[in-house]
């Protein structure tokens, strides 16, 4: 039942995003170094990643998706990263936001446990990125509200934001066993930082000139802290747990009995 509850949370998140018009993808688990560099995570976190030595003849199969018309709508900061031949996105390809799922584990010293996470991502025009940021924050808050949790939204000071992000809000929920509030979503606006590193641009119809897009991302949500909060806040005196809004994802089970 613990495994079913974890999977129910992920499906609840995904259904909410799809209902809001987001596209759902499963991104590759293996990426080349330049992908982490574009995102601003490398070289800082390079030592916390698992490295594979792959012959040059097969490397292209695990790098960024091919830049064809059929993948223009794929979300993710590296789906449109340009190399020798820069890609310029059409305006309509900036419109569909996306959500993606991937299990994550960091390697190296002080490795963290695996995390199942649904991530929200948007490419926008510069003038639309502030509104997109507010949308992502609101979506993360609504997911937490839908589960019935107490939460707060915290604006990070500039010194607490990562080098690649211009603005970050954390959504935190109350976890009684941890004696306080813990982050379950971090929503950030990188503005054109990642786009410049990855040469991700769009062409404005009025001028015909290419400009850098703005990129935004936010957790929607990670299960690592949602799961214990679900078990604790929905637990009854006999140790059973009320499924609440996850009932339909658990085959109609209203109460998860203690074993």
């Amino acid at each position: 039942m613990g495994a079913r509850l974890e999977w129910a949370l992920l499906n609840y998140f995904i259904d909410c995003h799809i209902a809001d018009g987001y596209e759902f993808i499963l991104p590759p688990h293996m990426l080349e170094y330049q992908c982490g560099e574009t995102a601003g995570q490398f070289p800082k976190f390079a030592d916390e990643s698992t490295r594979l030595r792959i012959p040059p003849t097969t490397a292209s199969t695990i790098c960024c998706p091919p830049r064809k018309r059929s993948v223009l709508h794929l979300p993710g900061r590296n789906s449109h990263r340009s190399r020798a031949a820069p890609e310029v996105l059409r305006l309509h390809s900036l419109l569909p936001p996306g959500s993606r799922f991937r299990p994550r584990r960091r390697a190296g010293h002080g490795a963290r446990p695996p995390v199942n996470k649904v991530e929200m991502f948007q490419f926008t025009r510069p003038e639309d990125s502030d509104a997109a940021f507010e949308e992502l924050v609101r979506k993360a808050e609504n997911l937490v509200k839908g589960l019935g949790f107490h939460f707060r939204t915290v604006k990070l000071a500039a010194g607490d934001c990562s080098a690649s992000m211009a603005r970050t809000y954390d959504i935190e929920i109350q976890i009684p066993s941890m004696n306080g509030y813990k982050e379950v979503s971090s929503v950030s606006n990188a503005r054109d930082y990642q786009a410049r590193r990855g040469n991700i641009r769009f062409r404005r119809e009025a001028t015909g000139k290419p400009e850098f897009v703005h990129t935004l991302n936010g957790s929607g949500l990670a299960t690592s802290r949602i799961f214990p909060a679900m078990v604790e806040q929905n637990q009854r005196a006999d140790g059973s747990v009320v499924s609440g809004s996850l009932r339909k994802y658990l085959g109609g089970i209203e109460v998860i009995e203690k074993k």
Side-chain angles (χ1 to χ4, degrees):
M1 284 308 300
R4 292 186 66 181
L5 181 59
E6 175 98 2
W7 206 245
L9 283 167
L10 293 169
N11 279 280
Y12 164 72
F13 300 152
I14 291 167
D15 278 0
C16 288
H17 296 314
I18 291 175
D20 288 341
Y22 277 56
E23 289 183 315
F24 175 55
I25 69 166
L26 292 173
H29 289 184
M30 294 183 290
L31 300 170
E32 61 181 4
Y33 183 91
Q34 287 76 14
C35 291
E37 191 174 47
T38 294
Q41 296 168 348
F42 291 172
K44 181 178 180 180
F45 297 115
D47 291 339
E48 297 185 21
S49 300
T50 301
R51 297 194 180 195
L52 301 176
R53 293 187 178 275
I54 301 173
T57 53
T58 60
S60 60
T61 63
I62 63 165
C63 293
C64 300
R67 290 176 295 280
K68 296 180 180 178
R69 180 67 174 272
S70 61
V71 299
L72 273 180
H73 294 333
L74 291 182
R77 49 178 74 83
N78 278 286
S79 296
H80 303 289
R81 181 173 58 82
S82 301
R83 295 185 191 167
E87 177 190 24
V88 179
L89 306 180
R90 297 176 181 273
L91 277 177
H92 67 77
S93 71
L94 297 178
L95 299 181
S99 62
R100 55 183 182 160
F101 165 73
R102 71 179 303 176
R104 183 179 67 178
R105 179 193 290 273
R106 285 185 175 176
H109 178 69
R112 301 175 185 177
V115 175
N116 282 327
K117 181 179 183 181
V118 177
E119 185 85 1
M120 303 177 287
F121 203 92
Q122 288 199 32
F123 292 112
T124 73
R125 295 174 295 185
E127 63 268 27
D128 298 329
S129 70
D130 285 339
F133 178 83
E134 298 298 334
E135 176 190 324
L136 292 177
V137 171
R138 185 172 63 253
K139 278 178 59 60
E141 291 175 339
N142 287 340
L143 289 173
V144 175
K145 288 178 182 178
L147 294 171
F149 295 149
H150 298 287
F151 74 95
R152 66 186 183 189
T153 302
V154 180
K155 179 181 180 180
L156 268 62
D160 291 329
C161 295
S162 68
S164 58
M165 298 303 171
R167 187 182 184 193
T168 298
Y169 281 12
D170 284 351
I171 289 81
E172 301 177 342
I173 62 172
Q174 187 180 32
I175 303 182
S177 64
M178 300 181 75
N179 298 317
Y181 286 81
K182 298 296 178 180
E183 173 206 329
V184 295
S185 177
S186 186
V187 179
S188 298
N189 189 343
R191 303 206 187 279
D192 62 0
Y193 181 94
Q194 295 170 334
R196 288 181 181 275
R197 292 168 76 96
N199 200 19
I200 307 170
R201 302 177 298 166
F202 75 101
R203 194 180 303 278
R204 197 178 293 275
E205 294 179 356
T207 63
K209 296 181 179 179
E211 299 179 30
F212 289 108
V213 302
H214 279 196
T215 58
L216 305 93
N217 72 283
S219 309
L221 302 164
T223 60
S224 54
R225 287 172 176 165
I226 290 288
F227 188 98
M230 185 82 190
V231 173
E232 290 180 19
Q233 294 196 28
N234 290 11
Q235 188 173 138
R236 304 193 302 184
D238 62 0
S240 61
V241 177
V242 179
S243 60
S245 56
L246 299 182
R247 175 183 172 184
K248 76 171 185 176
Y249 301 104
L250 292 169
I253 297 175
E254 294 185 16
V255 178
I256 303 172
E257 299 295 341
K258 179 181 178 181
K259 292 188 177 181

